[in-house]
Amino acid sequence: MDLVPALEEPLKKVLGPPTAKVMAEHLGLHTVGDLLHHYPRRYEERGQLTHLADLPMDEHVTVVAMVADARLHSFASAKSPRGKGQRLEVTITDGHGRLQLVFFGNGVHKPHKELLPGTRAMFAGKVSVFNRRLQLAHPAYELLRGDTEEAVETWAGALIPLYPATAKLESWKIGKAVQTVLPSAQEAVDPLPESLREGRGLVSLPEALLKIHRPHTKADIDAARTRLKWDEAFVLQVALARRRHADAQLPAVPRRPAADGLLSAFDDRLPFTLTDGQRKVSAEIFDDLATDHPMHRLLQGEVGSGKTLVALRAMLAVVDAGGQAALLAPTEVLAQQHHRSVVEMMGELAEGGMLGGADRATKVVLLTGSMGAAARRQALLDLVTGEAGIVIGTHALIEDKVRFHDLGLVVVDEQHRFGVEQRDALRGKGTQPPHLLVMTATPIPRTVAMTVFGDLETSVLDQLPAGRSPIASHVVPAADKPHFLARAWERVREEVANGHQAYVVCPRIGDEEDDPRKAGRKKSPEDEAEKRPPLAVLDVADHLAKGPLHGLTVEVLHGRMHPDDKDAVMRRFAAGDTDVLVATTVIEVGVNVPNATAMVIMDADRFGVSQLHQLRGRVGRGSAPGLCLLVTEMPEASPARQRLGAVAATLDGFELSRIDLEQRREGDVLGQAQSGARSSLRVLAVIEDEEVIEQAREEAVAVVEADPDLTAHPGLRTALDALVDEEREQYLEKG
């Protein structure tokens, strides 16, 4: 029988079932290796040993002393009015001075049993003053039994690791468990090629694990963290480099636009000139389309920077070259919106095979799940015959029944809403792999793009087209200043009086299905704190129509409406028949109504920074300036208010995405990137460690180019399998 490798040994064998169960359930740790990679969050220094006579105030000290006496007192308090509160006072002496220790409540039982007069121990804690006397409240202590001077010195000088812990398992218990398994660290297989490790002066993996869990000096911690960051960055970049390498081996049909084809006819129709950014990005895309392996490009651009136009020009180039292009949108509302705007932009060029259609025209079809049978049959027929050069649709495009004549380009809008498996299903519909363009309006800092979308080349559109108006954003503190909210509704009325329209966005729909009070769902801590569920579209619309916005036409839009009803509402709003649209975040992406100038976001603290920026991008799309009001009941000093302040202070999406990332930590950003619940990043910070990620990417590319199957790097293969087993390698850039 094979012996289980030391790092794969289940924790229940080593630590016993009860501890292992808590570790598995609360920390997701199952094997010795998992526990060794559960790194300390920070380190506490016990401080130098100090004489009791010279204790400094407000500092963390460690003293060795003997218990002189210990007394248990009962007292009355708000919690125990009948005098049942307990306080243990212990006086200690080191022969030079005396110091009082104090323990309260349930914390008195253990020290009351252990700290008997005459007992010698080490005590560590923060010095404070009470009744003009120095004291240590609830100090940590370690009894010295048969102590030696050496034991005292090592204990006092140690850097104490503090682990990410849970209520069920304190940091020091995790620390003890780590000490039990630490000898196994010697058997850790090193994923870094030796030349890389030596070239960059990194310590070996076993040494890094020892130093991160049992450091003697701060230099030990630095050396260990640097090494472990490299592991995470490098293994992740190798996985992405292998995916890029595999994609580069695939064949594709080069698609070059015809000299006087559909694309040039379209460009001639445009009532404006392209921005420099749009020209540059288009050139990058056309270069990729002309190669004989598939393009994999991420196009990220600020809200309103004209990504759709760039994507449409790429689709027309492919149609020119005899292929078909498909645009995959995350929602029906957005698919319909894209279809409308593409047909409008193309005019007669979108009327292929119809009376009045231009000579070089093609057909633009829409395919969604809710279409009637006849329309759907016709759309499928247009695709399989090649009559339709461009198809715009939702997940319905991925279904087995859908066949293309010659699919040459897939454009995915808002990548983070689609899994790689869906993207690949659509790519599988070409006779040869089609080219791929992924669009996102969520600005992604460069290092995150390198980490999450690492298999895609990146193009950035960062200038807005001429004629776009600035958006003024303000926080409306509804609880502190109710008159500010009243003024917000006045501002909406003023915009409508000037011939414009407004959005009101709420976090919830408000029908039976999503009411947290009725659904019996667990409330979030914020809900608990506020004692009220988030505001809902249906309630707010009703309140506004009867109250502050009485007399205006107010309509609602949310995800559970019938698709035809949603489309009708959007058409009325786009036509200017509706003054105010009260909606959920279904309007977050791609909805384009230039006449809408104001947006009021209710319970704005319930949305993420990037989401607020996305929503705000729905106004100020025409020549009139935009206004975005962020309504919140959160108190001024709260992190939520600071977050809203940051959104109000800048329109720079890249700056906001950095703030978002710093606040949410990388685990959330990359949380879906690994299909497991925990992020694989423990010490690597994608914002701070830009340099490490860039260098790791270079090294990874070199390793994969020289040895795509990693035959010469068994340790790296093992680490890669741990990070991503075969299916999970496909999830890496799900982001």
Side-chain angles (χ1 to χ4, degrees):
M1 191 180 123
D2 287 346
L3 282 171
V4 177
L7 270 65
E8 288 172 28
E9 191 77 64
L11 286 173
K12 68 170 175 227
K13 275 195 172 173
V14 188
L15 304 174
T19 309
K21 185 168 187 270
V22 176
M23 286 197 169
E25 285 176 6
H26 295 273
L27 296 167
L29 307 175
H30 302 277
T31 64
V32 167
D34 289 346
L35 182 53
L36 286 174
H37 287 294
H38 186 71
Y39 309 132
R41 179 175 284 141
R42 59 191 177 87
Y43 300 84
E44 208 46 271
E45 289 179 86
R46 301 236 195 227
Q48 302 308 305
L49 290 175
T50 319
H51 284 307
L52 293 186
D54 348 305
L55 287 180
M57 276 296 299
D58 275 347
E59 275 187 33
H60 204 283
V61 298
T62 300
V63 294
V64 175
M66 187 188 283
V67 176
D69 66 45
R71 295 180 190 164
L72 194 59
H73 302 274
S74 294
F75 61 92
S77 71
K79 281 189 177 169
S80 12
R82 298 206 177 134
K84 297 243 175 99
Q86 290 192 309
R87 181 175 74 244
L88 174 67
E89 290 176 3
V90 177
T91 308
I92 56 171
T93 174
D94 64 353
H96 303 281
R98 292 166 85 83
L99 178 67
Q100 186 154 21
L101 315 178
V102 60
F103 300 87
F104 291 99
N106 294 336
V108 304
H109 306 307
K110 188 167 177 274
H112 189 221
K113 273 196 282 206
E114 294 181 337
L115 298 178
L116 303 170
T119 309
R120 209 152 174 257
M122 274 182 282
F123 302 92
K126 203 173 189 184
V127 183
S128 56
V129 173
F130 181 72
N131 280 347
R132 298 193 192 165
R133 282 163 58 193
L134 293 184
Q135 71 166 26
L136 291 182
H138 280 286
Y141 63 87
E142 183 108 321
L143 303 177
L144 294 173
R145 299 184 172 91
D147 67 287
T148 61
E149 281 307 307
E150 196 183 346
V152 172
E153 284 306 321
T154 40
W155 193 83
L159 286 158
I160 306 151
L162 296 180
Y163 289 89
T166 77
K168 296 264 193 279
L169 204 62
E170 298 93 341
S171 169
W172 62 269
K173 285 184 183 161
I174 296 172
K176 280 194 168 153
V178 169
Q179 296 304 338
T180 308
V181 301
L182 207 48
S184 305
Q186 293 304 336
E187 297 181 45
V189 182
D190 203 320
L192 295 192
E194 205 166 324
S195 56
L196 188 162
R197 202 173 71 231
E198 287 171 1
R200 298 203 173 261
L202 299 167
V203 299
S204 71
L205 181 56
E207 191 182 336
L209 291 171
L210 281 169
K211 284 183 168 171
I212 198 126
H213 291 297
R214 198 188 273 167
H216 295 299
T217 61
K218 288 185 176 170
D220 282 353
I221 300 170
D222 290 343
R225 288 181 72 85
T226 303
R227 163 59 216 248
L228 294 166
K229 279 181 180 185
W230 258 93
D231 274 17
E232 290 180 5
F234 181 71
V235 173
L236 192 56
Q237 290 301 336
V238 166
L240 294 164
R242 291 186 73 209
R243 185 167 165 110
R244 282 198 305 276
H245 183 272
D247 283 341
Q249 309 311 307
L250 296 171
V253 179
R255 311 279 180 174
R256 294 182 183 84
D260 56 348
L262 197 52
L263 177 61
S264 51
F266 174 75
D267 284 350
D268 293 343
R269 281 181 52 90
L270 284 177
F272 50 81
T273 52
L274 299 176
T275 64
D276 294 344
Q278 286 171 330
R279 280 182 208 287
K280 179 176 139 290
V281 169
S282 288
E284 291 170 349
I285 292 171
F286 291 154
D287 286 349
D288 283 359
L289 289 174
T291 59
D292 55 8
H293 60 84
M295 162 171 85
H296 288 101
R297 192 166 279 281
L298 171 69
L299 169 57
Q300 44 167 327
E302 276 289 13
V303 177
S305 57
K307 290 180 302 299
T308 313
L309 177 65
V310 169
L312 177 55
R313 293 184 74 240
M315 294 198 284
L316 294 173
V318 169
V319 175
D320 262 354
Q324 291 170 291
L327 170 58
L328 185 59
T331 63
E332 293 215 350
V333 167
L334 192 51
Q336 287 160 340
Q337 173 95 22
H338 273 315
H339 183 254
R340 271 203 301 275
S341 59
V342 165
V343 169
E344 274 166 30
M345 279 197 270
M346 287 176 63
E348 62 198 24
L349 298 175
E351 296 171 357
M354 291 190 255
L355 280 172
D359 298 345
R360 288 165 294 192
T362 186
K363 212 169 185 184
V364 180
V365 302
L366 176 69
L367 187 62
T368 64
S370 65
M371 283 169 73
R376 187 183 174 78
R377 240 191 335 269
Q378 184 59 51
L380 292 173
L381 189 64
D382 288 341
L383 288 184
V384 77
T385 59
E387 188 81 17
I390 295 177
V391 59
I392 295 166
T394 53
H395 293 75
L397 283 176
I398 300 168
E399 290 169 12
D400 290 345
K401 287 187 210 129
V402 181
R403 294 272 178 274
F404 289 86
H405 177 63
D406 178 14
L407 182 59
L409 170 67
V410 173
V411 180
V412 181
D413 193 16
E414 287 308 319
Q415 154 68 12
H416 62 280
R417 314 247 177 148
F418 291 101
V420 173
E421 61 278 38
Q422 294 165 319
R423 203 170 87 178
D424 286 347
L426 189 51
R427 278 167 56 185
K429 293 190 177 293
T431 38
Q432 281 197 335
H435 298 281
L436 175 72
L437 179 65
V438 166
M439 301 196 293
T440 178
T442 308
I444 304 164
R446 199 163 142 271
T447 39
V448 183
M450 275 171 25
T451 312
V452 184
F453 298 106
D455 68 329
L456 302 166
E457 298 301 322
T458 304
S459 294
V460 178
L461 269 178
D462 49 11
Q463 62 185 132
L464 293 183
R468 287 302 294 270
S469 306
I471 305 169
S473 307
H474 305 283
V475 177
V476 177
D480 316 348
K481 300 179 177 164
H483 58 288
F484 275 36
L485 183 57
R487 176 72 189 119
W489 301 127
E490 281 173 26
R491 282 292 291 113
V492 169
R493 293 192 83 98
E494 286 164 17
E495 289 299 313
V496 173
N498 289 333
H500 298 301
Q501 293 159 278
Y503 296 100
V504 177
V505 181
C506 306
R508 209 163 54 82
I509 297 172
D511 53 11
E512 293 291 317
E513 270 181 77
D514 83 333
D515 187 337
R517 284 171 299 196
K518 295 181 179 135
R521 245 180 277 151
K522 273 185 78 172
K523 290 184 183 163
S524 70
E526 290 91 337
D527 286 357
E528 281 299 339
E530 293 205 283
K531 294 287 184 254
R532 74 160 175 78
L535 290 170
V537 166
L538 301 177
D539 305 338
V540 168
D542 191 48
H543 164 71
L544 292 177
K546 290 176 181 163
L549 303 184
H550 180 65
L552 304 185
T553 45
V554 177
E555 289 211 63
V556 300
L557 180 70
H558 59 75
R560 276 208 286 275
M561 289 165 63
H562 187 278
D564 292 349
D565 297 340
K566 276 193 280 200
D567 194 38
V569 168
M570 270 319 298
R571 280 178 190 279
R572 285 195 293 274
F573 190 64
D577 300 338
T578 305
D579 298 323
V580 179
L581 185 62
V582 183
T584 56
T585 53
V586 291
I587 61 148
E588 176 189 351
V589 176
V591 171
N592 184 20
V593 180
N595 191 44
T597 52
M599 176 175 284
V600 181
I601 302 178
M602 307 303 290
D603 280 342
D605 47 89
R606 314 262 178 159
F607 299 97
V609 169
S610 294
Q611 198 174 28
L612 290 169
H613 181 60
Q614 282 288 324
L615 286 165
R616 168 171 66 184
R618 300 302 113 216
V619 294
R621 300 179 78 84
S623 51
L627 171 70
C628 179
L629 302 174
L630 306 166
V631 180
T632 178
E633 293 188 357
M634 286 309 216
E636 195 159 359
S638 64
R641 270 287 278 282
Q642 287 160 10
R643 209 168 63 228
L644 296 180
V647 175
T650 179
L651 290 172
D652 180 342
F654 286 91
E655 174 56 29
L656 287 174
S657 67
R658 284 183 85 92
I659 293 169
D660 199 13
L661 201 58
E662 280 158 10
Q663 291 191 334
R664 291 191 299 144
R665 298 290 308 147
E666 293 71 29
D668 302 339
V669 177
L670 304 177
Q672 268 56 55
Q674 281 63 268
S675 62
R678 286 188 313 147
S679 159
S680 71
L681 298 191
R682 296 183 182 86
V683 284
L684 189 71
V686 289
I687 289 283
E688 293 151 37
D689 298 320
E690 190 160 342
E691 214 171 294
V692 175
I693 292 171
E694 283 189 17
Q695 292 169 1
R697 183 173 171 128
E698 282 168 31
E699 296 274 11
V701 168
V703 166
V704 171
E705 275 177 8
D707 178 7
D709 295 329
L710 306 180
T711 332
H713 305 286
L716 177 54
R717 275 237 59 122
T718 310
L720 208 54
D721 293 342
L723 171 71
V724 267
D725 45 42
E726 277 310 303
E727 320 85 280
R728 280 175 67 190
E729 191 158 358
Q730 304 300 313
Y731 279 86
L732 258 175
E733 71 307 342
K734 206 168 172 180

